[in-house]
Amino acid sequence: MSPQSYDIVAYQEQDHEAVCKLLVESFKAKFQALVTLEDQDIQRLLMQVWVQHPDSTSGKQFVVKENEDVVGVLSLKWKAPSSSLPKTNLTSLTSLIKQFGCFNVFKFLTGMYALDYKPAIDECYIDHLAIRSSHRNQGIGRHFLAFAQRFTVESGFHTLTLYVAHQNRQAIRLYRNLAFEIEQSRYNGWRHFWFKEPVWHLMSWKEQNCIRGENSIEKNI
């Protein structure tokens, strides 16, 4: 099935469980670096800690479905007055510790904080992009990125950005093919400690790269 046949639709609250399951599958190594839990328990923890609101004014999440089944997710965010990390009150924190253990909860929340990024006022940021393993290498990721580029322009943002680990060469090649450029490379102590990936690249796509990006997209889809 071609990527054009997949519809990108806005995330709804009923998609929460399926999206969390997809994120655990796609970023399994990162989650396993943080907690000593089985995949199902990691999913349960993520579902309770990370809550997306469809009506948020500081971000938007989109999904691709096949027969009502979520096979891809894209999360975009922009400048907000407060952190995009979930607010965990004392009662829910106590419940989480009882379910998953104090050390697991502490490492999970600290790891999520290490991955958090606060965009500038004119910047749209790709918080995450994940495709189900059975649907990879079918052009869906490129389809998502082209959508994110159009969203950036139509929403009046100047730049579309993302962070990628230096070791993820395949992703870097994909982003470069779609007119993203490395803005800066940084050593991140927290990410090095938790995920064993010391150097991360901030890559950006700007509206003036639109023609180049469109040509690359047509060639690569």
Side-chain angles (χ1 to χ4, degrees), residues 23-212:
L23 291 175
V24 171
E25 177 202 320
S26 299
F27 303 112
K28 186 173 182 177
K30 286 184 171 61
F31 286 119
Q32 289 182 336
L34 296 175
V35 295
T36 54
L37 297 171
E38 298 295 329
D39 290 355
Q40 288 184 338
D41 289 329
I42 297 174
Q43 181 184 330
R44 288 175 51 233
L45 176 57
L46 182 63
M47 287 178 64
Q48 293 182 59
V49 168
W50 180 73
V51 179
Q52 291 284 289
H53 299 288
D55 57 349
S56 171
T57 58
S58 61
K60 192 81 173 174
Q61 190 160 226
F62 303 91
V63 297
V64 162
K65 294 184 178 182
E66 182 180 60
N67 300 323
E68 297 303 314
D69 198 14
V70 174
V71 298
V73 59
L74 167 72
S75 180
L76 302 174
K77 72 175 186 179
W78 42 89
K79 186 173 178 61
S82 60
S83 171
S84 63
L85 287 176
K87 304 297 187 296
T88 306
N89 60 40
L90 186 60
T91 302
S92 64
L93 186 59
T94 301
S95 174
L96 290 175
I97 290 172
K98 287 181 179 179
Q99 293 178 73
F100 306 105
C102 182
F103 195 49
N104 281 324
V105 172
F106 168 76
K107 289 179 66 179
F108 189 87
L109 293 177
T110 305
M112 293 299 100
Y113 178 80
L115 292 173
D116 190 39
Y117 174 76
K118 296 178 176 60
I121 195 166
D122 60 348
E123 177 184 2
C124 184
Y125 178 72
I126 298 177
D127 202 28
H128 58 251
L129 190 163
I131 309 296
R132 182 183 291 179
S133 57
S134 59
H135 288 68
R136 292 172 191 164
N137 301 314
Q138 297 181 23
I140 301 175
R142 295 186 180 95
H143 193 47
F144 257 146
L145 288 167
F147 174 87
Q149 290 169 336
R150 290 193 298 273
F151 180 94
T152 298
V153 173
E154 292 169 2
S155 301
F157 294 109
H158 178 65
T159 308
L160 175 66
T161 59
L162 57 88
Y163 258 109
V164 59
H166 175 72
Q167 299 172 21
N168 196 348
R169 303 296 176 84
Q170 183 177 357
I172 292 172
R173 283 196 299 271
L174 169 63
Y175 300 141
R176 278 181 162 156
N177 284 339
L178 296 179
F180 283 83
E181 299 175 352
I182 294 179
E183 279 294 320
Q184 53 186 281
S185 301
R186 291 179 176 176
Y187 170 80
N188 187 299
W190 278 111
R191 295 183 185 185
H192 188 190
F193 179 76
W194 289 124
F195 306 111
K196 313 304 179 189
E197 294 179 341
V199 178
W200 294 71
H201 302 299
L202 179 67
M203 300 190 73
S204 69
W205 176 90
K206 295 181 173 64
E207 185 175 355
Q208 58 261 37
N209 297 336
C210 199
I211 295 177
R212 175 185 161 197

